[in-house]
Amino acid sequence: MSTTTWTDEDFAALNARFESASPRAVLNWVFDSFETEKAVMGSGFGASGVVLMHFLEQVQPGATVFYLDTDVLFPETYNLRDKLTARFDLDIVRVHSGFSLDEQAEEYGEKLWEDDPDQCCFLRKVKPLRQYLSDKSAWLTAIRRDQSPTRANADHVEWSEANEVVKVNPMVKWTEKDIWDHIDHYNLPYNPLHDEGYPSIGCMPCTERVGNDADDPRAGRWSDSEKKECGLHLEPETAEG
Ligand code: SF4
């Protein structure tokens, strides 16, 4: 399917159709519409991502799931990656900036994540994402509307101007409770840090423990600053970092 001629009306019609559709129905549409190798899911192995991977395996066994390895993920996150690799019939692919922490320290200083987190996210996440997606057509994500005000208006199907792909968000309507009920029901693996007061888990230097009663599902991320997103899901000027 060519996406170059899609109009706003095309996206509106799809989103009207998907507003009451299940994640599985949205995934079926993705793999009916795009070549399998051109439709990839991105994940940081959060709880929503685990649930989407569960559906993805059912709809398209062997599909690609990529993660952005910033070199500073938690050991628990790498362990979860290994468990998910063993559990699901999916191809979990590492995407890396090619820019080592030593090279970054030499060029920008030891703690770029403190001095300029937007630049650090651009180098270690946004830029590698853009490179990886440059030959893809569809990017699946597990973002949800209830995660933050910046995601409250997310649609099931969007055009990512920054990455020039169709962005598909099959979980947008699910709530935090829906996600955990699904994980419990199917006994899916999840990051044990969630049980230790980390509602949202990113890179180690930028994720803090906030306790289990935090109202904000993304509390603890860049908690010392106004920053709320790494830029992966912002369009398009802020995605530049
Ligand atoms: S989350 Fe923090 S450590 Fe990770 S890429 Fe962004 S600024 Fe750097």
Side-chain angles (χ1 to χ4, degrees), residues 10 44 53 66 74 80 86 90 101 104 106 128 140 162 174 182 216 224:
D10 294 328
M53 288 169 75
F66 73 91
F74 284 88
L80 176 60
L90 295 168
L101 291 176
Q104 180 167 302
E106 199 169 311
L140 292 157
W174 280 44
H182 188 97
D216 177 359
D224 291 337

PDB file of all heavy atoms in Angstrom, residues 10 44 53 66 74 80 86 90 101 104 106 128 140 162 174 182 216 224:
ATOM      1  N   ASP A  10      -8.660  10.215   4.795  1.00  0.00           N
ATOM      2  CA  ASP A  10      -8.366   8.772   4.898  1.00  0.00           C
ATOM      3  C   ASP A  10      -8.080   8.391   6.350  1.00  0.00           C
ATOM      4  O   ASP A  10      -8.588   7.382   6.863  1.00  0.00           O
ATOM      5  CB  ASP A  10      -7.150   8.403   4.033  1.00  0.00           C
ATOM      6  CG  ASP A  10      -7.428   8.582   2.554  1.00  0.00           C
ATOM      7  OD1 ASP A  10      -8.580   8.383   2.143  1.00  0.00           O
ATOM      8  OD2 ASP A  10      -6.480   8.927   1.810  1.00  0.00           O
ATOM      9  N   GLY A  44       9.706  -0.239  24.594  1.00  0.00           N
ATOM     10  CA  GLY A  44      10.690  -0.114  25.670  1.00  0.00           C
ATOM     11  C   GLY A  44      10.400  -1.161  26.731  1.00  0.00           C
ATOM     12  O   GLY A  44      10.899  -1.067  27.839  1.00  0.00           O
ATOM     13  N   MET A  53       2.568  -6.931  22.437  1.00  0.00           N
ATOM     14  CA  MET A  53       3.344  -8.057  21.897  1.00  0.00           C
ATOM     15  C   MET A  53       2.539  -9.346  21.960  1.00  0.00           C
ATOM     16  O   MET A  53       2.618 -10.190  21.061  1.00  0.00           O
ATOM     17  CB  MET A  53       4.661  -8.199  22.675  1.00  0.00           C
ATOM     18  CG  MET A  53       5.649  -7.089  22.368  1.00  0.00           C
ATOM     19  SD  MET A  53       7.075  -7.061  23.497  1.00  0.00           S
ATOM     20  CE  MET A  53       7.989  -8.450  22.895  1.00  0.00           C
ATOM     21  N   PHE A  66      11.213  -3.923  17.687  1.00  0.00           N
ATOM     22  CA  PHE A  66      12.535  -3.342  17.931  1.00  0.00           C
ATOM     23  C   PHE A  66      12.540  -2.542  19.222  1.00  0.00           C
ATOM     24  O   PHE A  66      11.494  -2.052  19.671  1.00  0.00           O
ATOM     25  CB  PHE A  66      12.967  -2.464  16.745  1.00  0.00           C
ATOM     26  CG  PHE A  66      12.231  -1.158  16.636  1.00  0.00           C
ATOM     27  CD1 PHE A  66      12.710   0.001  17.252  1.00  0.00           C
ATOM     28  CD2 PHE A  66      11.040  -1.066  15.924  1.00  0.00           C
ATOM     29  CE1 PHE A  66      12.019   1.197  17.154  1.00  0.00           C
ATOM     30  CE2 PHE A  66      10.341   0.130  15.830  1.00  0.00           C
ATOM     31  CZ  PHE A  66      10.837   1.268  16.439  1.00  0.00           C
ATOM     32  N   PHE A  74      17.831  -0.317  32.491  1.00  0.00           N
ATOM     33  CA  PHE A  74      17.990  -1.058  33.746  1.00  0.00           C
ATOM     34  C   PHE A  74      18.319  -2.532  33.448  1.00  0.00           C
ATOM     35  O   PHE A  74      17.801  -3.095  32.465  1.00  0.00           O
ATOM     36  CB  PHE A  74      16.686  -1.018  34.550  1.00  0.00           C
ATOM     37  CG  PHE A  74      16.411   0.285  35.238  1.00  0.00           C
ATOM     38  CD1 PHE A  74      15.730   1.300  34.578  1.00  0.00           C
ATOM     39  CD2 PHE A  74      16.819   0.504  36.552  1.00  0.00           C
ATOM     40  CE1 PHE A  74      15.454   2.502  35.212  1.00  0.00           C
ATOM     41  CE2 PHE A  74      16.549   1.714  37.192  1.00  0.00           C
ATOM     42  CZ  PHE A  74      15.874   2.720  36.520  1.00  0.00           C
ATOM     43  N   LEU A  80      14.012  -8.637  31.182  1.00  0.00           N
ATOM     44  CA  LEU A  80      12.657  -8.784  30.638  1.00  0.00           C
ATOM     45  C   LEU A  80      12.709  -9.024  29.132  1.00  0.00           C
ATOM     46  O   LEU A  80      11.969  -9.862  28.602  1.00  0.00           O
ATOM     47  CB  LEU A  80      11.816  -7.537  30.960  1.00  0.00           C
ATOM     48  CG  LEU A  80      10.405  -7.527  30.365  1.00  0.00           C
ATOM     49  CD1 LEU A  80       9.575  -8.709  30.860  1.00  0.00           C
ATOM     50  CD2 LEU A  80       9.698  -6.213  30.675  1.00  0.00           C
ATOM     51  N   ALA A  86      12.031 -15.335  24.887  1.00  0.00           N
ATOM     52  CA  ALA A  86      11.760 -16.760  25.091  1.00  0.00           C
ATOM     53  C   ALA A  86      10.262 -17.052  25.032  1.00  0.00           C
ATOM     54  O   ALA A  86       9.850 -18.111  24.563  1.00  0.00           O
ATOM     55  CB  ALA A  86      12.335 -17.207  26.439  1.00  0.00           C
ATOM     56  N   LEU A  90       8.271 -13.858  18.331  1.00  0.00           N
ATOM     57  CA  LEU A  90       8.477 -12.543  17.718  1.00  0.00           C
ATOM     58  C   LEU A  90       9.972 -12.338  17.537  1.00  0.00           C
ATOM     59  O   LEU A  90      10.792 -12.909  18.275  1.00  0.00           O
ATOM     60  CB  LEU A  90       7.908 -11.436  18.617  1.00  0.00           C
ATOM     61  CG  LEU A  90       6.386 -11.438  18.819  1.00  0.00           C
ATOM     62  CD1 LEU A  90       5.989 -10.486  19.942  1.00  0.00           C
ATOM     63  CD2 LEU A  90       5.658 -11.072  17.521  1.00  0.00           C
ATOM     64  N   LEU A 101      28.841   5.337  24.852  1.00  0.00           N
ATOM     65  CA  LEU A 101      28.801   6.281  25.979  1.00  0.00           C
ATOM     66  C   LEU A 101      30.135   7.002  26.133  1.00  0.00           C
ATOM     67  O   LEU A 101      30.170   8.183  26.499  1.00  0.00           O
ATOM     68  CB  LEU A 101      28.444   5.538  27.276  1.00  0.00           C
ATOM     69  CG  LEU A 101      27.016   5.010  27.368  1.00  0.00           C
ATOM     70  CD1 LEU A 101      26.830   4.213  28.660  1.00  0.00           C
ATOM     71  CD2 LEU A 101      25.997   6.137  27.299  1.00  0.00           C
ATOM     72  N   GLN A 104      30.232   9.678  23.552  1.00  0.00           N
ATOM     73  CA  GLN A 104      29.329  10.769  23.969  1.00  0.00           C
ATOM     74  C   GLN A 104      29.977  11.621  25.064  1.00  0.00           C
ATOM     75  O   GLN A 104      29.911  12.857  25.030  1.00  0.00           O
ATOM     76  CB  GLN A 104      28.007  10.187  24.472  1.00  0.00           C
ATOM     77  CG  GLN A 104      27.017  11.261  24.933  1.00  0.00           C
ATOM     78  CD  GLN A 104      25.620  10.720  25.135  1.00  0.00           C
ATOM     79  OE1 GLN A 104      25.027  10.177  24.203  1.00  0.00           O
ATOM     80  NE2 GLN A 104      25.074  10.832  26.335  1.00  0.00           N
ATOM     81  N   GLU A 106      33.112  12.027  25.631  1.00  0.00           N
ATOM     82  CA  GLU A 106      34.230  12.799  25.087  1.00  0.00           C
ATOM     83  C   GLU A 106      33.733  14.057  24.375  1.00  0.00           C
ATOM     84  O   GLU A 106      34.294  15.136  24.494  1.00  0.00           O
ATOM     85  CB  GLU A 106      34.992  11.909  24.092  1.00  0.00           C
ATOM     86  CG  GLU A 106      36.394  12.406  23.819  1.00  0.00           C
ATOM     87  CD  GLU A 106      37.196  11.361  23.062  1.00  0.00           C
ATOM     88  OE1 GLU A 106      37.203  10.189  23.474  1.00  0.00           O
ATOM     89  OE2 GLU A 106      37.775  11.739  22.044  1.00  0.00           O
ATOM     90  N   PRO A 128      18.416   7.401  16.072  1.00  0.00           N
ATOM     91  CA  PRO A 128      18.423   5.988  15.645  1.00  0.00           C
ATOM     92  C   PRO A 128      17.051   5.495  15.220  1.00  0.00           C
ATOM     93  O   PRO A 128      16.931   4.687  14.301  1.00  0.00           O
ATOM     94  CB  PRO A 128      18.910   5.224  16.882  1.00  0.00           C
ATOM     95  CG  PRO A 128      19.369   6.218  17.875  1.00  0.00           C
ATOM     96  CD  PRO A 128      18.977   7.594  17.415  1.00  0.00           C
ATOM     97  N   LEU A 140       4.350   0.448  14.799  1.00  0.00           N
ATOM     98  CA  LEU A 140       3.368   0.120  15.838  1.00  0.00           C
ATOM     99  C   LEU A 140       3.893   0.537  17.199  1.00  0.00           C
ATOM    100  O   LEU A 140       5.056   0.261  17.527  1.00  0.00           O
ATOM    101  CB  LEU A 140       3.132  -1.395  15.859  1.00  0.00           C
ATOM    102  CG  LEU A 140       2.427  -1.973  14.651  1.00  0.00           C
ATOM    103  CD1 LEU A 140       2.746  -3.454  14.505  1.00  0.00           C
ATOM    104  CD2 LEU A 140       0.939  -1.788  14.820  1.00  0.00           C
ATOM    105  N   ALA A 162       7.794  13.211  11.326  1.00  0.00           N
ATOM    106  CA  ALA A 162       9.227  13.145  11.642  1.00  0.00           C
ATOM    107  C   ALA A 162       9.870  11.884  11.081  1.00  0.00           C
ATOM    108  O   ALA A 162      11.037  11.896  10.690  1.00  0.00           O
ATOM    109  CB  ALA A 162       9.426  13.210  13.150  1.00  0.00           C
ATOM    110  N   TRP A 174      -7.001   1.697  25.831  1.00  0.00           N
ATOM    111  CA  TRP A 174      -6.884   0.876  27.040  1.00  0.00           C
ATOM    112  C   TRP A 174      -6.444   1.736  28.218  1.00  0.00           C
ATOM    113  O   TRP A 174      -5.734   2.727  28.060  1.00  0.00           O
ATOM    114  CB  TRP A 174      -5.887  -0.262  26.802  1.00  0.00           C
ATOM    115  CG  TRP A 174      -6.485  -1.416  26.037  1.00  0.00           C
ATOM    116  CD1 TRP A 174      -7.277  -1.328  24.928  1.00  0.00           C
ATOM    117  CD2 TRP A 174      -6.347  -2.798  26.335  1.00  0.00           C
ATOM    118  NE1 TRP A 174      -7.624  -2.584  24.513  1.00  0.00           N
ATOM    119  CE2 TRP A 174      -7.070  -3.508  25.353  1.00  0.00           C
ATOM    120  CE3 TRP A 174      -5.676  -3.526  27.312  1.00  0.00           C
ATOM    121  CZ2 TRP A 174      -7.150  -4.893  25.336  1.00  0.00           C
ATOM    122  CZ3 TRP A 174      -5.738  -4.906  27.298  1.00  0.00           C
ATOM    123  CH2 TRP A 174      -6.476  -5.582  26.327  1.00  0.00           C
ATOM    124  N   HIS A 182      -5.002  -7.721  31.978  1.00  0.00           N
ATOM    125  CA  HIS A 182      -4.598  -8.626  30.892  1.00  0.00           C
ATOM    126  C   HIS A 182      -3.300  -9.368  31.264  1.00  0.00           C
ATOM    127  O   HIS A 182      -3.184 -10.578  31.052  1.00  0.00           O
ATOM    128  CB  HIS A 182      -4.406  -7.808  29.602  1.00  0.00           C
ATOM    129  CG  HIS A 182      -4.177  -8.641  28.385  1.00  0.00           C
ATOM    130  ND1 HIS A 182      -5.173  -8.983  27.495  1.00  0.00           N
ATOM    131  CD2 HIS A 182      -3.040  -9.214  27.896  1.00  0.00           C
ATOM    132  CE1 HIS A 182      -4.677  -9.729  26.529  1.00  0.00           C
ATOM    133  NE2 HIS A 182      -3.372  -9.877  26.739  1.00  0.00           N
ATOM    134  N   ASP A 216       0.250   9.857  38.421  1.00  0.00           N
ATOM    135  CA  ASP A 216       0.712  10.035  37.042  1.00  0.00           C
ATOM    136  C   ASP A 216       1.452   8.779  36.591  1.00  0.00           C
ATOM    137  O   ASP A 216       2.487   8.431  37.149  1.00  0.00           O
ATOM    138  CB  ASP A 216       1.644  11.261  36.998  1.00  0.00           C
ATOM    139  CG  ASP A 216       2.235  11.483  35.617  1.00  0.00           C
ATOM    140  OD1 ASP A 216       1.941  10.685  34.704  1.00  0.00           O
ATOM    141  OD2 ASP A 216       3.001  12.454  35.473  1.00  0.00           O
ATOM    142  N   ASP A 224      13.309  15.740  37.557  1.00  0.00           N
ATOM    143  CA  ASP A 224      13.913  17.014  37.951  1.00  0.00           C
ATOM    144  C   ASP A 224      13.685  18.116  36.924  1.00  0.00           C
ATOM    145  O   ASP A 224      14.187  19.220  37.077  1.00  0.00           O
ATOM    146  CB  ASP A 224      15.435  16.849  38.136  1.00  0.00           C
ATOM    147  CG  ASP A 224      15.735  15.994  39.350  1.00  0.00           C
ATOM    148  OD1 ASP A 224      14.858  15.917  40.236  1.00  0.00           O
ATOM    149  OD2 ASP A 224      16.814  15.387  39.389  1.00  0.00           O
TER     150      ASP A 224
END
